[in-house]
Amino acid sequence: MTETSLPSVLVTRRLAPGVLERLTPSCDVTLHDDDLPMPRPELLRAVAGKAAVVTTLDDLVDAEFLDAAGPGLRLVANHAVGTHNVDLAACAERGVRVSNTPGVLSEATADMAWALLLAATRRLGEGERWLRSGRPWAWAPNFLLGMELSGTPLGILGMGRIGRAVARRAAAFGMPVGYHNRTRPAEVAEDGPRWLPLDELLERSQVLVVTCPLNAATRHLLDADRLARLPAGAVVVSMTAGVVDEEALAAALDSGALFAAAVDNFEREPEVPAALLAQERAVLAPHLGSSTVRTRQAMGGLAVDNVLAVLAGAAPLTPVQAVRS
């Protein structure tokens, strides 16, 4: 096979070390060698004539994108678990397959949820900012008092792989766990975390971790009214952009209804609402949930494996199907 006959693949973002090398021997790769997203006009030009594209959540795959790619596009391999950036119905209409990277990031993301939870409940962000500012301080009985987790009710909104990984870690803290999910996963033992209706889960959860996927049903699911159902002084940890209304979250912090909050990704990234930036008790992270070397290599490797499988005439390893109404 000559170089000119290799299938053409677009990779829209710099990948973790060692991943791209798995693709280059058998594909003609166009790489956007940057950590920042491709500008939309550049993306539409670059995707033209490609057989496959490795996208990230910043790349909107819609009818315009698919038209720019042309009829030869066979796969959109999303380098993420979520696919809210992909118009699945439009892909299905054109016979373009879609894949994602589930499973390989669950443990790292659960670790990050707990890192944020601990930082929020123990006010670590405030403490570090205090020290770095050079303000005077001394140990005192009432200085930066936080919340203890032992015995504190934990609620998990979304009991998929990540939610279950979060729940497993709760056992080490002696926290009773409740959850709400569209269905009751078979992987959750009957004597394990307790399924609750959403409103009851909110009313019982002193700490709430949000891990459910973003879709039309979950967008702003936690609005001002639902946040108000949480107990006074609750803590919210959001691992999914768009499920928690960010302005409502900031307002609940501002009023003192919430003790603290932590957010790992945002609805209009890289924009972070000024109202959240102004909150001392908001722990804010730049979408670091899966950001470990091992996990990002696994995610990139799975995206590449999906590309190689489809270009070889097989089905994608982790296909995503359009939801039929």
Side-chain angles (χ1 to χ4, degrees):
M1 181 179 287
T2 65
E3 183 176 354
T4 55
S5 67
L6 296 178
S8 183
V9 176
L10 172 64
V11 179
T12 68
R13 200 73 59 87
R14 184 183 294 144
L15 299 177
V19 173
L20 191 66
E21 290 79 357
R22 297 171 56 182
L23 194 59
T24 49
S26 54
C27 299
D28 178 15
V29 177
T30 299
L31 170 66
H32 177 60
D33 193 14
D34 203 314
D35 291 329
L36 296 176
M38 296 183 77
R40 182 70 173 182
E42 181 181 342
L43 176 65
L44 296 179
R45 289 192 298 269
V47 77
K50 298 298 186 289
V53 57
V54 178
T55 54
T56 70
L57 291 174
D58 294 307
D59 303 316
L60 177 61
V61 179
D62 57 4
E64 180 186 40
F65 177 100
L66 297 170
D67 290 342
L73 184 64
R74 297 165 62 185
L75 175 71
V76 173
N78 219 35
H79 190 297
V81 172
T83 54
H84 56 266
N85 59 308
V86 180
D87 186 333
L88 298 177
C91 288
E93 288 172 4
R94 291 165 171 79
V96 176
R97 290 174 164 177
V98 178
S99 65
N100 63 347
T101 60
V104 295
L105 52 72
S106 303
E107 300 300 325
T109 304
D111 285 348
M112 185 63 183
W114 275 94
L116 292 173
L117 193 162
L118 288 164
T121 55
R122 297 304 300 270
R123 303 175 68 178
L124 295 183
E126 293 174 80
E128 186 184 35
R129 287 190 293 275
W130 192 301
L131 292 181
R132 290 183 182 277
S133 73
R135 296 163 63 188
W137 68 280
W139 186 94
N142 289 318
F143 183 56
L144 288 180
L145 297 184
M147 176 194 298
E148 288 193 30
L149 295 180
S150 178
T152 299
L154 170 66
I156 300 174
L157 179 55
M159 202 62 161
R161 293 183 180 93
I162 296 170
R164 296 195 297 274
V166 169
R168 288 196 301 273
R169 287 155 174 77
F173 291 85
M175 300 176 74
V177 179
Y179 74 94
H180 180 79
N181 206 62
R182 183 181 59 180
T183 59
R184 303 189 190 191
E187 296 87 348
V188 178
E190 290 189 8
D191 59 351
R194 178 185 175 194
W195 183 92
L196 296 169
L198 177 57
D199 286 344
E200 185 176 351
L201 177 76
L202 298 177
E203 291 163 2
R204 289 174 174 264
S205 300
Q206 198 65 41
V207 177
L208 179 72
V209 178
V210 180
T211 64
C212 63
L214 175 63
N215 53 45
T218 61
R219 184 175 295 278
H220 288 187
L221 180 64
L222 296 186
D223 55 13
D225 289 341
R226 283 213 165 96
L227 288 173
R229 289 184 173 273
L230 290 163
V235 173
V236 174
V237 177
S238 174
M239 303 301 293
T240 309
V243 175
V244 182
D245 184 323
E246 293 167 357
E247 297 294 337
L249 183 65
L253 287 167
D254 200 47
S255 71
L258 294 179
F259 179 80
V263 183
D264 182 49
N265 49 74
F266 301 88
E267 191 167 359
R268 289 176 290 277
E269 291 185 1
E271 177 187 342
V272 179
L276 275 179
L277 290 171
Q279 298 300 322
E280 270 295 296
R281 295 201 186 183
V283 179
L284 308 176
H287 208 148
L288 298 179
S290 62
S291 187
T292 69
V293 172
R294 183 170 67 185
T295 293
R296 290 290 170 83
Q297 287 178 330
M299 292 173 68
L302 183 51
V304 165
D305 287 345
N306 276 297
V307 170
L308 294 174
V310 170
L311 295 183
L317 304 178
T318 51
V320 178
Q321 307 294 335
V323 178
R324 299 185 182 277
S325 58

